[in-house]
């Protein structure tokens, strides 16, 4: 039996324990609060990016971030924010214990997104010598969300530029459109010049509409024209100041007259300006100025873009790339194709800044890249004369081996429709490349180019591939519909605007049209509701034309056979020289200029020793050189001791280009021996093996892991 004193003592102890427990809990709570610190609310403007910072983190924990409204504020797991549209979002911070893997919500941050307020200008004047240059006075323009502009905003949100290049000389998209220029005065026989640099290089039919008013009591003439610096494309240099055509307009006194002037602006104009002037000392008010540009008379550029998009395809793939780029992660766009992708007829050879591939890359990184867009990367794997059979051979070396950020490209653009008119796989090469890209996680994008000289039938042949794999597809041929004068296709306005003089390759404006088509697909994909990718396992899809060359491996003189299990033996015999008389890429490959197409080739000059190799594979193709030089001769190709092909390297129309031959194609991987030897009487002739491609599915599947 307990005494009263004992009961009092027990009660006191319980009370003390309770107080200590409460105090401990309070202390623990205070201690927990000290371990993490972050702002409760931050404000951004549309387009602004910011990296979240928290302090007092635990050493054995990592922290991830999620947004409850990703369409308003996008956030990466590492805490990089991008404001996409006006609104409010909550960013939840979750702590993960690296030892126990326990998860705990430790913080919430509110992000308020405000609209962009663009500081831009109305017209004002600055007279220098005999020219009045039009400047602009400050005004404001409110933009609600990221999808409607391409604003650049600094980290403090203080600097911005006008969207779509309005009076800024930096129009992003598309290449043609309308511009409202406000009002100004033309006076005292001084030329008034309005900068319109957004017409650089493309040329246009330019319509200038305005209202003119003067009160001198006399009829006056106003001259409207254009000037700038003309770029000499052939010489790859800028010329002196160029004065273009001008038109004179009569302005009666006392009333406001609506006027419209039509000007033909030549291609390759730099520092382009529209000029107003009056021949006498007088003051004329010019108001409601609107400039509309179109490629040529009767062209509807918006319609050309709309017609040229065959399909956006599955937009989930493209949206993943866009969101990845916008969140600051590294993204690589890779382009493989023929001379059009390489940039033939684009300006600045070995730079190719005007080819459709680099132009669309620059547009993409400007619009969707993080900050200055340096997280978006670019690979051009275009090579003149490349059909898809050669493309599938080259893919490993010219795309995958060029990757610096990640293992596979995020977007793979494929352009072979022109060069595939007689390729040896009948569509199986391009389908194999499509499947390989999809299996490697790339968003595959089909680009259908076009020529006026002949209509390749391959577009209609390849559209079923785009439909089968739900791919985005754009077509130059479709863009042209309704705008080509079929009675004079090579010399009509569209051809003169779009094509180089050979009517085979796009000129700079043509490359821009192709780039705008690509960007229209990205814009459409970004705006539309996400459609889940229906293709989860490419290997389970029955091919349209075949998939035998999926994962083809390149074999050239750079191979180390000790590192490749599929190569059993290799003896080059008298094919031991390197052919340096070959073409180079028209762009800087891997940062280097004048890189040879096939620097690790095998060339025979004299002798009877044949080229022999034993390879474990299911199929094989060979690419060899065609030359307009009778020093090159005939070689014979044997597979497992049987004559398979007789190959003549001397062709009247050869230009050191590669041609591709199928060596063999089977269903199963087996060990095959192939031999190349010079035909009788050709022992002292040249023959160059550019590259060999073989498929070993076991080797390929290992590369995906």
């Amino acid at each position: 039996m307990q005494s009263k004193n004992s009961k009092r003592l027990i009660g006191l102890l319980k009370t003390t324990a309770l107080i200590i427990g409460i105090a401990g809990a309070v202390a623990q709570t205070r201690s927990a609060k000290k371990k993490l610190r972050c702002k409760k609310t931050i404000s951004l403007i549309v387009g602004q990016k910011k990296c979240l910072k928290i302090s007092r983190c635990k050493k054995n924990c990592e922290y991830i971030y999620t947004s409850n409204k990703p369409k308003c504020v996008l956030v990466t797991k590492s805490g990089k924010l991008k404001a996409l549209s006006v609104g409010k979002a909550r960013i939840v911070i979750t702590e993960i214990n690296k030892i126990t893997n326990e998860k705990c919500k430790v913080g919430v941050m509110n992000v308020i997104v405000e609209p962009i307020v663009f500081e831009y200008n109305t017209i004002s004047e600055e007279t220098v010598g005999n020219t009045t240059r039009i400047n602009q006075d400050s005004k404001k323009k409110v933009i609600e969300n990221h999808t409607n502009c391409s604003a650049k905003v600094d980290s403090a949100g203080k600097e911005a530029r006008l969207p779509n290049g309005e009076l800024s000389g930096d129009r992003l998209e598309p290449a043609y459109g309308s511009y409202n220029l406000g009002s100004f005065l033309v006076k005292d026989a001084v030329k008034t010049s309005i900068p319109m640099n957004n017409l650089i290089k493309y040329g246009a039919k330019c319509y200038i509409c305005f209202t003119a008013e003067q009160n001198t009591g006399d009829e006056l003439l106003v001259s409207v024209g254009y000037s700038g610096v003309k770029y000499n494309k052939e010489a790859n240099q800028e010329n002196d100041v160029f004065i273009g055509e001008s038109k004179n307009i009569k302005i009666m006194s006392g009333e406001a007259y609506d006027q419209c002037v039509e000007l033909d602006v030549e291609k390759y104009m730099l520092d382009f300006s529209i000029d107003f002037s009056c021949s006498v000392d007088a003051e004329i008010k010019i108001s409601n100025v609107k400039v509309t540009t179109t490629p040529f008379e009767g062209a509807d550029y918006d319609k050309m873009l709309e017609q040229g998009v065959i399909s956006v395809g599955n937009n989930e793939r493209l949206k993943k790339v866009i969101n990845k780029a916008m969140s600051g992660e590294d993204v690589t766009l890779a382009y493989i194709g023929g001379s059009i992708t390489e940039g033939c007829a684009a300006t600045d050879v070995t730079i190719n800044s005007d080819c459709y591939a680099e132009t669309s890359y620059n547009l993409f990184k400007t619009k969707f890249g993080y900050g200055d867009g340096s997280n978006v990367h670019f690979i051009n794997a275009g090579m003149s004369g490349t059909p898809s059979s050669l493309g599938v051979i080259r893919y490993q070396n010219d795309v995958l081996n060029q990757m610096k950020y990640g293992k596979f490209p995020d977007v793979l653009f494929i352009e072979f429709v022109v060069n595939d008119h007689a390729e040896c796989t009948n569509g199986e090469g391009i389908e194999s490349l499509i499947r390989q890209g999809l299996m490697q996680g790339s968003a595959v994008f089909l680009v259908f180019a076009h020529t006026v000289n002949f209509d390749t039938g391959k577009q209609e042949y390849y559209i079923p591939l785009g439909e089968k794999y739900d791919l985005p597809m754009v077509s130059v041929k479709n863009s042209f519909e309704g705008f080509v004068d079929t009675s004079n296709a090579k010399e009509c306005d569209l051809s003169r605007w779009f094509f180089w003089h050979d009517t085979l390759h796009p000129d700079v404006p043509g490359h821009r049209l192709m780039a705008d088509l690509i960007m229209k697909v990205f814009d459409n994909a970004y705006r539309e509701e996400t459609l889940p990718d229906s293709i989860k396992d490419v290997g389970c899809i029955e091919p349209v034309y075949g998939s035998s060359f999926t994962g083809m491996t390149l074999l050239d003189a750079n191979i180390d056979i000790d590192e490749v299990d599929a190569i059993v033996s290799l003896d080059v015999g008298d094919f031991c020289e390197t052919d340096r008389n070959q073409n180079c890429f028209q762009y800087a490959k891997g940062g280097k200029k004048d890189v040879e197409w096939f620097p690790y080739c095998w060339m025979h000059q004299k002798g009877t020793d044949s080229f022999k190799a034993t390879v474990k594979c299911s199929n094989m193709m060979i690419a060899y050189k065609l030359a307009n030089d009778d020093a090159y001769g005939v070689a014979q190709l044997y597979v497992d001791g049987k004559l398979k092909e007789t190959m003549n390297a001397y062709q009247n129309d050869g230009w050191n280009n590669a041609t591709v031959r199928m060596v063999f194609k089977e269903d199963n991987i087996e060990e095959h021996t192939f031999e190349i030897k010079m035909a009788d009487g050709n022992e002292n002739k040249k023959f160059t093996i550019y590259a060999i491609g073989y498929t070993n599915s076991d080797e390929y599947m290992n590369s995906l892991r």
Side-chain angles (χ1 to χ4, degrees):
M1 184 174 180
Q2 292 179 330
S3 65
K4 290 183 179 181
N5 289 335
S6 298
K7 290 181 179 180
R8 287 175 183 171
L9 179 59
I10 291 171
L12 181 62
L13 290 173
K14 288 181 178 180
T15 303
T16 303
L18 179 61
I19 293 172
I20 292 173
I22 293 172
V26 171
Q28 188 176 10
T29 301
R30 288 175 180 169
S31 177
K33 287 182 179 179
K34 290 181 180 180
K35 292 180 182 178
L36 184 67
R37 176 182 291 173
C38 64
K39 292 183 179 180
K40 292 183 178 180
T41 303
I42 61 172
S43 294
L44 303 175
I45 64 174
V46 173
Q48 188 177 350
K49 302 166 186 178
K50 187 177 183 64
C51 187
L52 296 181
K53 293 182 179 180
I54 57 176
S55 58
R56 297 182 180 177
C57 301
K58 295 180 181 179
K59 292 183 179 180
N60 63 337
C61 293
E62 64 176 341
Y63 298 85
I64 62 172
Y65 305 79
T66 54
S67 171
N68 73 325
K69 294 182 180 179
K71 290 185 178 180
C72 175
V73 179
L74 192 67
V75 64
T76 65
K77 290 183 179 180
S78 59
K80 293 179 180 179
L81 293 177
K82 183 162 187 178
L84 302 183
S85 61
V86 174
K88 183 177 180 181
R90 285 189 301 108
I91 307 300
V92 176
I93 306 171
T94 302
E95 180 183 87
I96 302 177
N97 190 303
K98 295 180 181 178
I99 300 173
T100 64
N101 204 33
E102 293 180 353
K103 297 181 180 180
C104 178
K105 185 174 79 172
V106 292
V108 176
M109 183 180 296
N110 294 315
V111 181
I112 299 173
V113 182
E114 300 173 348
I116 295 176
V117 179
F118 282 96
E119 296 287 345
Y120 73 102
N121 301 321
T122 56
I123 298 300
S124 63
E125 303 176 1
E126 177 185 5
T127 302
V128 179
N130 292 325
T131 301
T132 297
R133 190 169 181 84
I134 296 300
N135 296 319
Q136 305 166 55
D137 299 321
S138 179
K139 278 194 174 183
K140 292 184 177 182
K141 185 180 183 76
V142 177
I143 303 298
E144 292 290 330
N145 59 64
H146 177 77
T147 61
N148 290 337
C149 69
S150 300
K152 290 291 186 183
V153 184
D154 70 3
S155 58
K158 296 178 181 178
E159 297 179 3
R161 76 176 172 211
L162 205 61
N164 296 330
E166 292 175 15
L167 286 178
S168 70
D170 190 23
R171 186 174 177 85
L172 292 177
E173 57 173 338
Y176 295 91
S178 295
Y179 316 86
N180 294 312
L181 305 185
S183 304
F184 52 89
L185 295 177
V186 177
K187 56 185 178 180
D188 300 333
V190 175
K191 182 175 72 173
T192 301
S193 181
I194 305 172
M196 290 288 294
N197 293 341
N198 41 22
L199 296 181
I200 290 176
K201 296 181 182 177
Y202 303 121
K205 182 68 87 170
C206 187
Y207 303 92
I208 306 165
C209 297
F210 58 94
T211 302
E213 184 177 1
Q214 58 96 2
N215 296 291
T216 63
D218 298 320
E219 177 184 283
L220 297 179
L221 287 179
V222 173
S223 177
V224 183
Y226 74 92
S227 60
V229 175
K230 186 87 162 51
Y231 182 83
N232 187 330
K233 182 171 178 288
E234 301 303 323
N236 198 22
Q237 64 185 19
E238 294 181 12
N239 288 345
D240 295 331
V241 174
F242 179 89
I243 306 299
E245 71 166 334
S246 61
K247 300 286 179 67
N248 292 324
I249 302 295
K250 293 181 181 180
I251 307 297
M252 304 299 292
S253 178
E255 294 184 26
Y257 291 88
D258 292 332
Q259 306 289 336
C260 192
V261 175
E262 177 185 316
L263 299 176
D264 289 317
V265 179
E266 297 195 23
K267 292 181 182 179
Y268 314 121
M269 290 299 302
L270 307 176
D271 299 327
F272 175 81
S273 294
I274 294 175
D275 304 321
F276 286 77
S277 61
C278 180
S279 59
V280 298
D281 291 339
E283 184 174 280
I284 302 175
K285 181 181 179 181
I286 305 295
S287 59
N288 304 320
V289 183
K290 182 177 182 179
V291 177
T292 301
T293 63
T294 191
F296 50 88
E297 188 173 2
D300 183 338
Y301 197 70
D302 288 339
K303 186 176 180 180
M304 292 172 74
L305 295 180
E306 183 179 349
Q307 290 180 171
V309 176
I310 298 176
S311 170
V312 175
N314 176 258
N315 62 10
E316 183 181 38
R317 302 171 198 158
L318 297 182
K319 281 191 172 188
K320 284 181 179 179
V321 178
I322 292 171
N323 291 333
K324 187 177 178 182
M326 291 172 64
S327 65
E329 298 181 62
D330 288 307
V331 165
T332 298
L333 310 183
Y335 300 73
I336 189 167
S339 56
I340 295 175
T341 297
E342 187 175 5
C344 181
T347 55
D348 299 333
V349 173
T350 74
I351 298 175
N352 268 355
S353 56
D354 290 316
C355 76
Y356 87 87
E358 191 158 349
T359 299
S360 60
Y361 150 72
N362 283 322
L363 291 172
F364 180 92
K365 77 172 185 177
T366 299
K367 185 157 191 176
F368 298 117
Y370 186 88
D372 62 359
S374 58
N375 65 310
V376 182
H377 313 287
F378 170 65
I379 294 174
N380 191 335
M383 178 191 288
S384 296
T386 297
S388 58
S389 52
L390 181 56
V392 77
I393 296 174
R394 292 178 43 230
Y395 184 65
Q396 176 188 335
N397 185 59
D398 292 342
V399 175
L400 299 184
N401 291 354
Q402 305 304 313
M403 290 290 299
K404 294 182 179 179
Y405 303 89
K407 195 173 181 180
F408 308 115
D410 294 273
V411 185
L412 174 62
F413 297 88
I414 300 176
E415 177 267 311
F416 288 124
V417 70
V418 170
N419 288 341
D420 270 10
H421 56 93
E423 67 90 23
C424 63
T425 71
N426 295 316
E428 197 166 354
I430 189 172
E431 184 167 13
S432 296
L433 193 54
I434 289 170
R435 291 170 70 95
Q436 181 171 343
L438 292 174
M439 291 174 73
Q440 293 172 341
S442 301
V444 179
F445 197 129
L446 298 185
V447 179
F448 297 151
H450 186 62
T451 69
V452 164
N453 276 10
F454 58 91
D455 181 7
T456 69
K458 289 296 186 178
Q459 173 174 310
E460 301 308 318
Y461 191 68
Y462 287 159
I463 284 177
L465 294 176
E467 293 172 343
K468 181 78 170 184
Y469 299 100
D470 206 6
L471 306 179
M473 296 181 281
V474 295
S475 164
V476 172
K477 178 182 177 182
N478 288 21
S479 288
F480 288 176
E481 188 175 347
F483 299 105
V484 178
D485 180 358
T486 55
S487 65
N488 188 23
K490 293 183 181 180
E491 297 295 329
C492 70
D493 288 340
L494 181 140
S495 293
R496 288 201 304 270
W497 169 77
F498 182 90
F499 287 106
W500 198 33
H501 58 75
D502 64 357
T503 63
L504 289 171
H505 298 93
D507 205 344
V508 174
H511 280 282
R512 181 55 194 260
L513 172 67
M514 294 178 68
D516 282 344
L517 285 172
I518 289 171
M519 284 305 298
K520 186 171 182 64
V521 170
F522 277 110
D523 287 339
N524 290 348
Y526 183 67
R527 293 189 180 101
E528 292 171 358
E529 183 180 351
T530 302
L531 300 174
D533 192 349
S534 60
I535 299 177
K536 302 300 182 183
D537 187 353
V538 179
C540 294
I541 297 177
E542 187 69 24
V544 178
Y545 303 122
S547 58
S548 299
F549 310 108
T550 303
M552 177 162 272
T553 299
L554 175 73
L555 173 60
D556 62 12
N558 195 40
I559 194 74
D560 183 350
I561 63 173
D562 293 333
E563 295 184 359
V564 183
D565 292 337
I567 309 297
V568 178
S569 64
L570 177 64
D571 180 2
V572 301
D574 287 326
F575 290 73
C576 55
E577 304 293 332
T578 302
D579 193 340
R580 295 300 180 201
N581 183 24
Q582 59 171 292
N583 298 310
C584 296
F585 289 103
Q586 295 182 38
Y587 48 82
K589 181 179 178 182
K592 297 180 180 179
K593 297 181 180 180
D594 300 322
V595 176
E596 295 172 336
W597 283 358
F598 300 98
Y600 304 108
C601 57
W602 294 287
M603 182 175 72
H604 175 280
Q605 293 205 80
K606 61 180 180 179
T608 58
D609 287 346
S610 60
F611 180 102
K612 297 178 181 178
T614 301
V615 182
K616 297 175 183 176
C617 60
S618 57
N619 58 66
M620 182 175 290
M621 289 192 285
I622 180 173
Y624 64 92
K625 176 180 175 178
L626 295 181
N628 183 14
D629 181 353
D630 60 8
Y632 286 79
V634 179
Q636 294 176 321
L637 171 64
Y638 292 82
V639 178
D640 297 328
K642 296 180 180 180
L643 179 62
K644 185 74 175 179
E645 186 93 21
T646 297
M647 304 175 291
N648 189 353
Y650 171 50
Q651 299 288 333
N652 289 331
D653 58 353
W655 43 280
N656 299 335
N657 56 307
T659 187
V660 181
R661 294 291 182 270
M662 185 87 68
V663 179
F664 62 87
K665 188 181 78 166
E666 297 180 353
D667 294 331
N668 301 318
I669 299 173
E670 294 184 4
E671 193 172 291
H672 294 278
T673 298
F674 68 98
E675 178 182 9
I676 300 172
K677 63 181 181 179
M678 301 306 293
D680 292 343
N682 288 262
E683 292 84 358
N684 293 322
K685 294 280 190 177
K686 296 179 181 179
F687 191 93
T688 300
I689 305 169
Y690 273 152
I692 294 168
Y694 70 89
T695 304
N696 182 308
S697 58
D698 294 339
E699 188 179 77
Y700 169 61
M701 294 308 295
N702 287 333
S703 72
L704 296 178
R705 298 191 179 97

